[in-house]
Amino acid sequence: MPLPKIPTKPATLLPVADYPKAEAGKTGARAVAAAKPKLAAVPEPVNDEVIAKPAKGRKTARLLSAPHAAPAAEAPVAAPVAAPVAAPAAAPVAKAEPAAKPARAKGRQPSENELPHPAKHKPVEVPVKSNASRQADKSGQTKMFVLDTNVLMHDPTSLFRFEEHDVYLPMMTLEELDDHKKGMSEVARNARQVSRTLDALVGTIDDGAIEAGIPLAKLGNKDAKGRLFFQTRLQAGPGLPEGLPQGKADNQILGVVRNLEAELPGRAIVLVSKDINMRIKARALGLPAEDYFNDHVLEDTDLLYSGIVQLPDDFWNKHGKDMESWQENKNGYSATFYRMTGPVIPTLLVNQFVFLEPKSGEAPFYGQVKQINGKTAVIQTLRDFSHNKNNVWGVTARNREQNFALNLLMNPECDFVTLLGQAGTGKTLLALAAGLAQVLETKLYNEIIVTRVTVPVGEDIGFLPGTEEEKMSPWMGAFDDNLEVLNKSDSEGGEWGRAATQDLIRSRIKIKSLNFMRGRTFVNKFLIIDEAQNLTPKQLKTLVTRAGPGTKILCLGNIAQIDTPYLTEGSSGLTYVVDRFKGWSHSGHVTLARGERSRLADHASEVL
């Protein structure tokens, strides 16, 4: 069976014609089918035996996230005009008429020809199930999964992820675990954790009872109803075809799978491995082999939460009947709030951005969901950061998504922000500008802390000299480039003034390595985690839990540019935190869709 193509484009971008819209009266699975017809024909992941029971909220991710896929890039539109207010501040007015819609805009809407070329859509990757698994599903039999070493080192808890099915560990798997247990790397820690788990399972079992299988639920994992088997005798069966080197570990594991098929002719024996070549070799020899998918947060990253949803054209007609509106002064500016009820409301999430750009020439409406209670929601109008009077350290939003992102970055009530987007969408520049404005101008935070995972794109250049900050400085070229852009905007003080400003900024920015984060607590810091797509979920958990009182954490990344060998778009730590933090009242997420670096960079990201 041919392998799926490796995606070369950001998986979260959709063509203009396929941009999802919230539709009245359609929630849950019906909203997915209405918003994204292409996904309706995609079968559900069929690798049930290898995928663990989803964690809480995973099913919801599949139902709620599809209507909120990232919008296609659009040209900047006119700034939103606040709706007329029916009463003084903090005085709700009952039953405001639909006439409270935004006033007519003076600027024109962009035509289709002015829209940038949409990114090509990624092929949907569906887990492939072996024939042995499919036949066992039809007959209702339990299977026996033979685990490769890389599965255990990738997920130390994988022993307990196979529900009612049995797990078999060849002796060569234990030998390879022993070879990898030394060191301080993540793989070595996982190998040691697996060894401790196996010791706890085997510790109180009689020697004669090991061959009969050890209950996996013995340590309290109630979902694991199968048994654990070890290879207790040498191979006595047919083994592998002649010509394959017998000393190679992968070939010995394949020989164990073939012998198990001969010993248990009525049992489905399936090899589980993260090694693509191992699975190809097994398929070539006629042995069933599958990948391990339990580490995937989402089977299809097109379902990843984008933080943005487009409202239907008849939104005001269906939701403006019993609408209430009022004004409040929040964070130094006046915002309009709408309390409304309607069929679209149950499909929304807290802190999600909504927008409506009518084609009739009326002003666009941009808002953020602040509260949801059943079919009633409170939506707040946004601050227009595309206007020069609201610039952040000299930076203004150039498109709709950047305006959404700056509303999150400048909101002191939002403690955790994730920004996703391809190269050149402005993630680093917006984060750095917001950090400088809140550290040096409003003094909301003490200093900016910048960190990133040190994974080289090409060959490693070896050890770097100097202190921790000097060693990290070559990895922070992106921040140096953006600091140079931000410093050029100040032309009043002359060359000496710019130099003094740059020294002051440098004194408030600290560059830290991920290797020394464990045990630290950051108080009143503005923490930026760049290239977060190269972090595992466990590493991101370690970083996010460092936050103390008054700390804001930003995660920036592009899941289409993962450099870590064992991470994919579905298993990246950035995908993990985006999916788990959605809907929390103190976090927000925006997928940036339009590149603003240069026309050359935009064209290169589309055609290369």
Side-chain angles (χ1 to χ4, degrees):
M1 181 172 290
L3 294 173
K5 294 181 181 179
I6 299 176
T8 59
K9 299 290 181 182
T12 52
L13 298 185
L14 290 177
V16 176
D18 293 342
Y19 194 87
K21 293 183 179 180
E23 295 191 15
K26 295 188 177 183
T27 61
R30 291 182 296 168
V32 175
K36 196 174 180 185
K38 290 186 177 181
L39 287 181
V42 179
E44 287 294 317
V46 292
N47 207 6
D48 304 335
E49 296 73 22
V50 186
I51 300 176
K53 287 190 176 180
K56 291 182 179 179
R58 184 165 174 183
K59 184 175 181 182
T60 310
R62 296 184 61 84
L63 298 181
L64 293 182
S65 300
H68 314 319
E74 295 189 19
V77 293
V81 181
V85 181
V93 177
K95 297 188 178 180
E97 292 302 321
K101 290 188 291 184
R104 185 175 297 272
K106 296 181 181 178
R108 66 180 182 85
Q109 297 291 332
S111 64
E112 289 293 330
N113 296 331
E114 295 173 344
L115 294 174
H117 187 276
K120 294 181 181 178
H121 200 54
K122 169 182 99 61
V124 177
E125 299 179 16
V126 179
V128 180
K129 184 185 289 188
S130 61
N131 291 331
S133 289
R134 286 195 291 267
Q135 293 173 2
D137 289 341
K138 292 180 181 179
S139 60
Q141 295 178 344
T142 59
K143 307 161 198 167
M144 178 176 285
F145 290 102
V146 181
L147 299 192
D148 194 3
T149 316
N150 48 46
V151 175
L152 295 171
M153 292 189 297
H154 182 77
D155 181 7
T157 62
S158 58
L159 288 171
F160 311 105
R161 304 294 190 184
F162 295 94
E163 299 178 342
E164 71 274 12
H165 307 287
D166 296 334
V167 175
Y168 188 94
L169 292 183
M171 198 56 65
M172 184 51 65
T173 296
L174 300 178
E175 288 285 341
E176 288 189 304
L177 274 179
D178 188 62
D179 292 340
H180 289 90
K181 71 180 182 181
K182 300 178 181 65
M184 296 300 296
S185 65
E186 190 77 15
V187 171
R189 281 192 289 268
N190 290 345
R192 290 194 293 269
Q193 183 176 340
V194 172
S195 299
R196 288 191 290 267
T197 303
L198 293 176
D199 180 59
L201 285 169
V202 179
T204 58
I205 299 294
D206 296 335
D207 295 339
I210 291 181
E211 194 165 349
I214 304 169
L216 286 168
K218 175 185 172 185
L219 299 181
N221 298 278
K222 296 181 181 180
D223 293 334
K225 299 181 176 67
R227 304 178 78 84
L228 173 64
F229 293 88
F230 290 94
Q231 181 184 358
T232 56
R233 54 183 181 273
L234 296 177
Q235 301 178 16
L240 290 177
E242 295 183 3
L244 283 178
Q246 298 294 325
K248 191 173 176 61
D250 287 357
N251 295 339
Q252 292 191 33
I253 294 175
L254 292 173
V256 169
V257 176
R258 172 163 286 190
N259 286 332
L260 282 174
E261 284 189 334
E263 293 177 11
L264 306 170
R267 192 83 187 272
I269 310 296
V270 181
L271 171 67
V272 181
S273 175
K274 295 293 293 180
D275 187 353
I276 297 177
N277 291 331
M278 177 79 154
R279 297 198 303 271
I280 295 174
K281 194 185 296 186
R283 294 288 181 95
L285 295 173
L287 301 175
E290 296 175 0
D291 195 359
Y292 177 72
F293 286 97
N294 179 71
D295 59 326
H296 284 215
V297 180
L298 297 171
E299 284 75 29
D300 182 11
T301 47
D302 286 330
L303 298 178
L304 185 62
Y305 174 65
S306 71
I308 306 170
V309 65
Q310 184 179 8
L311 298 175
D313 294 335
D314 59 351
F315 176 76
W316 293 109
N317 295 331
K318 292 189 175 181
H319 296 74
K321 184 178 180 181
D322 298 323
M323 183 176 65
E324 303 174 11
S325 65
W326 69 94
Q327 275 190 331
E328 288 184 15
N329 204 345
K330 274 200 167 187
N331 302 324
Y333 74 99
S334 180
T336 305
F337 290 80
Y338 299 97
R339 179 179 286 112
M340 56 186 69
T341 303
V344 170
I345 301 304
T347 65
L348 304 177
L349 293 172
V350 176
N351 275 351
Q352 190 173 32
F353 291 98
V354 296
F355 72 94
L356 177 61
E357 295 175 345
K359 297 179 181 178
S360 59
E362 295 181 353
F365 172 74
Y366 301 112
Q368 186 180 19
V369 181
K370 303 304 290 185
Q371 296 178 17
I372 289 184
N373 186 8
K375 287 192 174 183
T376 302
V378 175
I379 297 180
Q380 173 189 351
T381 57
L382 300 181
R383 191 173 184 180
D384 181 20
F385 284 100
S386 62
H387 198 283
N388 195 43
K389 70 176 182 180
N390 293 328
N391 71 82
V392 179
W393 203 261
V395 173
T396 56
R398 292 190 177 184
N399 55 53
R400 178 182 60 221
E401 288 79 19
Q402 286 190 358
N403 189 33
F404 294 162
L406 283 173
N407 273 275
L408 286 178
L409 295 173
M410 299 301 292
N411 184 4
E413 298 177 1
C414 194
D415 301 331
F416 184 74
V417 178
T418 49
L419 297 182
L420 214 63
Q422 62 183 12
T425 50
K427 303 182 296 294
T428 307
L429 182 67
L430 295 177
L432 204 52
L436 291 174
Q438 294 176 91
V439 168
L440 295 175
E441 290 181 354
T442 62
K443 294 182 172 51
L444 192 61
Y445 307 101
N446 292 339
E447 62 183 3
I448 300 174
I449 295 179
V450 182
T451 185
R452 59 164 287 176
V453 60
T454 52
V455 178
V457 177
E459 293 292 330
D460 201 346
I461 59 175
F463 292 102
L464 298 171
T467 62
E468 176 192 358
E469 193 148 334
E470 290 171 344
K471 289 177 186 293
M472 289 294 297
S473 58
W475 299 99
M476 295 300 170
F479 281 89
D480 293 335
D481 298 340
N482 286 283
L483 275 178
E484 189 176 343
V485 172
L486 294 173
N487 285 336
K488 279 185 178 179
S489 61
D490 184 16
S491 57
E492 296 179 359
E495 190 172 340
W496 287 95
R498 280 198 300 272
T501 303
Q502 191 165 357
D503 290 341
L504 175 62
I505 291 174
R506 290 285 183 182
S507 67
R508 293 298 186 94
I509 297 179
K510 297 291 188 296
I511 299 174
K512 299 295 181 184
S513 172
L514 287 174
N515 302 334
F516 311 108
M517 288 294 185
R518 192 176 297 277
R520 297 197 62 179
T521 301
F522 297 114
V523 180
N524 292 330
K525 310 293 185 189
F526 193 87
L527 176 59
I528 302 176
I529 305 172
D530 198 19
E531 304 293 341
Q533 76 274 5
N534 289 322
L535 293 169
T536 65
K538 187 176 179 182
Q539 289 172 325
L540 255 180
K541 178 184 177 182
T542 302
L543 286 175
V544 176
T545 52
R546 301 302 99 210
T551 291
K552 190 186 191 85
I553 295 184
L554 276 63
C555 288
L556 319 176
N558 177 15
I559 58 174
Q561 293 182 342
I562 295 178
D563 302 316
T564 306
Y566 300 109
L567 286 180
T568 61
E569 292 183 359
S571 61
S572 168
L574 184 57
T575 307
Y576 179 74
V577 294
V578 169
D579 186 65
R580 295 302 174 92
F581 273 92
K582 66 182 179 185
W584 187 46
S585 58
H586 298 288
S587 70
H589 168 72
V590 171
T591 298
L592 300 171
R594 177 178 172 177
E596 298 288 352
R597 182 169 286 166
S598 67
R599 58 190 177 192
L600 172 61
D602 293 344
H603 186 67
S605 65
E606 293 169 7
V607 301
L608 297 182

